[in-house]
């Protein structure tokens, strides 16, 4: 599998999954179930996962695949693999807030190197090209035809007036205490992996996450941010956030534009 082969496939599958998600989102009602970890799951999560996992397995049968909705994939071991969160921001979906995303990424040697983040309710799509540069695609986002793309790059941050983005559903005192260490011009709240993309486009400088996440929540956004010149590090020691960890659970982390002067935890 080459990067040139991968990118058109993950772009198309994210759009097809997004169309199915929006079909369910715009219906009169949908069922919400609760998984063993008390997180919600809907028919949209499951339908999107079926589209993406079938497509990836057909295109790249020899590549290890980890996906949130298939628990048996969580025991797979490796440092190079495809990783999927078919609907990140299920709470945003349930409350019809629009801040949910489709996420597909390639992790190579523990680093997310290529990925796509698609927010179907917001008509925003971000992904890495084969060469690693991140772009935002505009237009009608057809599965078969790539529309206009614009390279995205992180901001040249002003440490006296930072833009910070934080979670809509998981904001807490620990997050606020850390943000208060910075000179903040303005705050944004966003759901799901869109927070990485707002840093990638320069719409925000800093996204600290003091809370539980899994690798499938972050890998695609991490890849997009990295391809726009940004970084993601552990909250505790500012070393790079790596992937393929036991159980696929992340430590707390900070996503940021490199011009930001990071404060200690």
């Amino acid at each position: 599998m080459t990067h040139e082969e991968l990118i058109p496939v993950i772009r198309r599958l994210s759009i097809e999954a997004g169309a199915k998600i929006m079909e369910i989102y715009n219906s009169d009602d949908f069922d919400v179930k609760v998984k063993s970890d008390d997180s919600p799951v809907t028919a949209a999560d499951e339908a999107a996962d079926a589209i993406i996992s079938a497509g990836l397995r057909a295109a790249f049968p020899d590549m290890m695949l980890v996906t949130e909705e298939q628990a048996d994939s969580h025991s797979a071991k490796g440092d190079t693999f495809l990783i999927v969160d078919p609907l990140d921001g299920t709470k945003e979906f349930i409350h019809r807030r629009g801040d949910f995303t489709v996420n597909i990424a390639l992790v190579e040697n523990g680093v997310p190197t290529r990925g796509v983040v698609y927010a179907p309710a917001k008509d925003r799509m971000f992904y890495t090209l084969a060469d690693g540069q991140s772009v935002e695609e505009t237009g009608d986002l057809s599965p078969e035809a790539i529309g206009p793309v614009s390279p995205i790059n992180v901001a040249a941050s002003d440490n006296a007036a930072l833009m910070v983005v934080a979670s809509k559903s998981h904001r807490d005192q620990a997050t606020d205490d850390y943000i208060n260490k910075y000179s903040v011009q303005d705050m944004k709240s966003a759901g799901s992996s869109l927070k990485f993309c707002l840093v990638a486009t320069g719409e925000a400088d800093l996204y600290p996450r003091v809370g539980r996440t899994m690798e499938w929540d972050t890998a695609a956004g991490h890849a997009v941010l990295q391809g726009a010149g940004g970084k993601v590090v552990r909250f505790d020691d500012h070393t790079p956030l790596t992937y393929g960890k036991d159980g696929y659970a992340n430590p707390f982390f900070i996503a940021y534009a490199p011009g930001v002067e990071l404060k200690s935890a």
Side-chain angles (χ1 to χ4, degrees), residues 121-188:
K122 294 187 170 292
D123 290 323
R124 295 195 78 175
M125 168 172 263
F126 310 89
Y127 55 92
T128 52
L129 299 177
D131 65 3
Q133 168 69 47
S134 291
V135 297
E136 181 169 5
E137 181 178 333
T138 54
D140 62 2
L141 301 178
S142 159
E144 304 307 332
I146 296 174
V149 297
S150 302
I152 57 175
N153 293 284
V154 294
S157 303
D158 176 359
N159 283 281
L162 294 174
M163 294 286 295
V164 178
V165 63
S167 174
K168 263 187 184 161
S169 300
H170 302 280
R171 187 75 175 273
D172 59 11
Q173 191 60 49
T175 305
D176 288 340
D177 289 346
Y178 183 71
I179 290 168
N180 288 337
K181 297 183 177 191
Y182 294 87
S183 298
V184 177
Q185 179 188 36
D186 202 3
M187 288 279 306
K188 297 183 175 196

Side-chain angles (χ1 to χ4, degrees), residues 235-250:
F235 188 78
D236 53 4
D237 60 8
H238 296 175
T239 59
L241 182 66
T242 60
Y243 289 72
K245 302 180 290 297
D246 277 349
Y248 298 96
N250 285 325

Side-chain angles (χ1 to χ4, degrees), residues 88-140:
D88 185 34
T90 301
K91 289 178 183 172
E92 309 296 326
F93 178 91
I94 292 166
H95 297 297
R96 289 190 158 97
R97 288 198 289 246
D99 273 15
F100 49 85
T101 54
V102 179
N103 298 265
I104 310 171
L106 171 67
V107 172
E108 297 180 281
N109 300 315
V111 179
T113 59
R114 301 294 184 276
V116 58
V117 176
Y118 176 39
K122 294 187 170 292
D123 290 323
R124 295 195 78 175
M125 168 172 263
F126 310 89
Y127 55 92
T128 52
L129 299 177
D131 65 3
Q133 168 69 47
S134 291
V135 297
E136 181 169 5
E137 181 178 333
T138 54
D140 62 2

Side-chain angles (χ1 to χ4, degrees), residues 13 27 42 68 71 74 85 88 93 98-99 102 111 114 120 158 168 194 200 207 209 231 249:
L13 290 173
S27 66
T42 70
E68 178 181 13
H74 303 172
D85 188 344
D88 185 34
F93 178 91
D99 273 15
V102 179
V111 179
R114 301 294 184 276
D158 176 359
K168 263 187 184 161
L194 279 173
Y207 160 38
R209 181 56 181 259
K231 296 183 177 181

